[in-house]
């Protein structure tokens, strides 16, 4: 019987500690922080809390920004890759593998290696039989071979 209160404490603390706060102050940013940082890291916080719709909305906003300072472009590229992942698996949005591939293609074109990994597996696992030509979007196609 002594273990029951301990188990209750563990279960209650899990639910209290499961979500981290995602305000700018909580993630060590301010309103004066660059917009790319605010969008990317707030979206990442919501992703960790499994608040996928919020993370998708923030990363989409980041993906559409123009004139990002060079030191923050990598955050935008990572957001493209993250959006591909979210769309491919249907986290926070309706699953859309074609749109996911488009996001990954954009990220790959900008040098994002994780997006390249996801794109490769998406195509191999879900879109083609070996030897078949696969359209990747933007007029690019590949032939899958073993």
């Amino acid at each position: 019987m002594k273990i029951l209160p301990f188990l209750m404490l563990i279960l209650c603390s899990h639910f209290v500690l499961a979500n981290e706060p995602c305000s700018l102050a909580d993630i060590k940013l301010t309103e004066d922080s660059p917009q790319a940082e605010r969008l990317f890291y707030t979206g990442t916080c919501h992703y960790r809390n499994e608040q996928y719709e919020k993370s998708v909305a923030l990363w989409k906003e980041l993906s559409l920004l123009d004139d990002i300072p060079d030191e923050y472009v990598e955050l935008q590229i990572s957001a493209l890759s993250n959006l591909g992942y979210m769309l491919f698996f249907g986290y926070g949005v309706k699953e859309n593998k074609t749109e996911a591939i488009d996001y990954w293609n954009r990220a790959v074109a900008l040098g994002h290696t994780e997006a390249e990994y996801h794109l490769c597996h998406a195509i191999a696992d879900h879109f083609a039989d070996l030897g078949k030509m696969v359209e990747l979007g933007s007029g690019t196609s590949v032939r899958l071979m073993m």
Side-chain angles (χ1 to χ4, degrees):
M1 275 325 246
K2 290 182 181 181
I3 199 161
L4 185 60
F6 179 69
L7 288 174
M8 292 300 291
L9 178 64
I10 289 174
L11 286 174
C12 290
S13 65
H14 169 73
F15 291 111
V16 170
L17 299 175
N19 283 333
E20 64 182 281
C22 295
S23 73
L24 291 177
D26 291 318
I27 59 174
K28 310 280 190 273
L29 296 173
T30 68
E31 288 294 330
D32 294 329
S33 298
Q35 187 178 17
E37 276 191 326
R38 292 192 320 261
L39 293 170
F40 183 81
Y41 292 115
T42 305
T44 300
C45 182
H46 288 299
Y47 176 83
R48 287 193 300 263
N49 289 340
E50 298 180 10
Q51 298 166 331
Y52 301 131
E53 289 176 3
K54 290 180 180 180
S55 58
V56 167
L58 291 162
W59 290 334
K60 277 192 177 185
E61 186 178 344
L62 174 55
S63 76
L64 298 172
L65 290 181
D66 291 324
D67 301 322
I68 295 178
D70 290 344
E71 62 266 28
Y72 302 108
V73 169
E74 190 62 37
L75 296 178
Q76 187 178 46
I77 297 168
S78 290
L80 294 171
S81 179
N82 293 351
L83 287 166
Y85 187 86
M86 303 299 271
L87 284 156
F88 193 84
F89 293 105
Y91 290 125
V93 291
K94 184 178 177 189
E95 184 179 291
N96 186 331
K97 294 185 185 317
T98 302
E99 192 175 349
I101 286 179
D102 288 340
Y103 274 108
W104 281 331
N105 270 321
R106 288 174 55 196
V108 167
L110 296 167
H112 198 278
T113 56
E114 182 181 342
E116 190 171 20
Y117 171 84
H118 290 305
L119 182 60
C120 174
H121 285 277
I123 293 167
D125 294 346
H126 297 282
F127 285 100
D129 298 321
L130 294 177
K132 182 178 175 185
M133 289 299 290
V134 178
E135 177 64 36
L136 297 179
S138 304
T140 305
S141 60
V142 295
R143 183 180 305 280
L144 299 178
M145 305 179 80
M146 279 296 248

